[in-house]
Amino acid sequence: MSAFPRARHLLSAAAALTLGLAPESRAAEPVDVELVLAVDVSLSMSPAELEIQRRGYVAALTHDTVLQAIADGAYGKIAVTYVEWAGTTWQHVIVPWTVIANRADAARVVEQLSAHAPNSARRTSISGALQFGSDLFAESGFRGVKRVIDISGDGPNNQGAPVDVVRDGLVKQGITINGLPLMTRSGFTSVYDVNYLDRYYTDCVIGGPGAFMIPVNEWTQFPEAIRRKLVLELAGPASPQWAADEAAHSPVVLAQDKPATDCQVGEKMWRDRSWMYDSR
């Protein structure tokens, strides 16, 4: 080694020691899945429905089948963060990145989820939530075999960048996006609802290897839908858990190659809202 490269090497090591950071200390912790749970809290949902969502995630994260799916992974642990979102600039991290390897870990996440009631805000920016979720991976401190954004919502994107454009960019980064379209229509509804939200999610929102969505048609279905979704995300399409779930329930909807839905439908409805409140 010449004197100059050796000098540069020594200077880099000295700088790391000065900062108190040995190269090994910056290594990311390996996990089976880095999972962003992105939950819609736009004004179109009532306080009661927001509570149903929270309780559904609380129940799912401590369910035996979910914990078993985590334990069956190569590392036996996942990293999860829980985010509530609405408009382009409204994303709140409720639970920061946390490892779940056992029931005690899951209970700590549940405790954070249960500490405060959910808030709500205007507009629906799925694209904003996806971009925010992708940024969270950069600061997670973990190295997942898979990186997944699990996004739920009760309407199409109506603010921010086109959702399919953002989706495609995230998929190119190796991020999988799975969906939970809420087709309940039991809360505050408006002209911004679409009758085919499941198809919209399939064509415009979900993407990446093995991406899927599970629609929720009634709020009574929500807890089971969340549990199923988590198990499938953690286990993967090739797993026995996936096959067992497919045998017991209607098949999940996998991502399609060619979109058949107008991915700008939410933005167009928002522009035509001449008589409506600034609500969703």
Side-chain angles (χ1 to χ4, degrees):
M1 178 184 292
S2 69
F4 292 111
R6 180 176 177 82
R8 284 197 298 268
H9 176 75
L10 291 174
L11 285 171
S12 298
L17 290 172
T18 300
L19 293 172
L21 296 173
E24 291 78 13
S25 69
R26 289 174 287 179
E29 179 180 352
V31 293
D32 292 301
V33 182
E34 292 174 74
L35 178 62
V36 176
L37 299 174
V39 181
D40 181 8
V41 294
S42 56
L43 288 176
S44 52
M45 287 191 285
S46 69
E49 291 169 339
L50 296 177
E51 279 297 328
I52 291 172
Q53 281 198 121
R54 279 279 189 93
R55 290 198 300 269
Y57 282 98
V58 164
L61 287 168
T62 53
H63 197 282
D64 288 343
T65 56
V66 173
L67 294 173
Q68 187 60 53
I70 294 172
D72 288 343
Y75 294 104
K77 58 184 177 180
I78 66 170
V80 63
T81 182
Y82 185 100
V83 178
E84 292 179 340
W85 61 271
T88 50
T89 60
W90 206 98
Q91 300 94 21
H92 288 184
V93 175
I94 306 303
V95 179
W97 284 110
T98 304
V99 168
I100 299 180
N102 50 49
R103 189 176 298 277
D105 294 338
R108 282 191 286 273
V109 172
V110 164
E111 183 178 1
Q112 294 180 75
L113 273 180
S114 305
H116 304 285
N119 294 314
S120 59
R122 293 179 174 182
R123 304 295 294 269
T124 301
S125 182
I126 301 172
S127 58
L130 292 178
Q131 188 61 63
F132 185 83
S134 72
D135 292 341
L136 290 176
F137 290 121
E139 59 190 48
S140 73
F142 299 97
R143 185 179 73 255
V145 177
K146 294 190 296 184
R147 293 184 295 165
V148 179
I149 298 177
D150 177 337
I151 189 159
S152 65
D154 72 340
N157 195 76
N158 64 32
Q159 190 180 41
V163 64
D164 55 328
V165 173
V166 173
R167 182 268 316 274
D168 293 345
L170 268 58
V171 169
K172 289 179 180 178
Q173 298 175 34
I175 297 170
T176 296
I177 303 163
N178 296 327
L180 194 77
L182 307 175
M183 305 172 65
T184 56
R185 292 180 175 269
S186 58
F188 175 78
T189 59
S190 74
V191 293
Y192 309 121
D193 286 325
V194 295
N195 295 319
Y196 48 89
L197 189 63
D198 51 351
R199 198 172 75 208
Y200 175 88
Y201 261 68
T202 300
D203 293 340
C204 306
V205 179
I206 66 175
F212 66 92
M213 72 93 194
I214 299 178
V216 175
N217 297 299
E218 299 177 4
W219 280 110
T220 54
Q221 299 173 349
F222 189 82
E224 183 183 6
I226 288 294
R227 178 194 58 75
R228 287 183 62 204
K229 196 155 178 289
L230 288 176
V231 169
L232 295 178
E233 283 167 338
L234 301 176
S239 69
Q241 291 97 324
W242 184 290
D245 186 272
E246 291 284 77
H249 302 89
S250 299
V252 299
V253 181
L254 297 174
Q256 304 300 311
D257 291 333
K258 296 182 179 179
T261 304
D262 181 2
C263 294
Q264 291 284 307
V265 62
E267 289 85 347
K268 290 176 181 177
M269 288 192 296
W270 180 260
R271 289 195 295 269
D272 295 338
R273 73 193 190 288
S274 58
W275 54 277
M276 286 299 297
Y277 307 131
D278 184 3
S279 57
R280 287 176 60 180

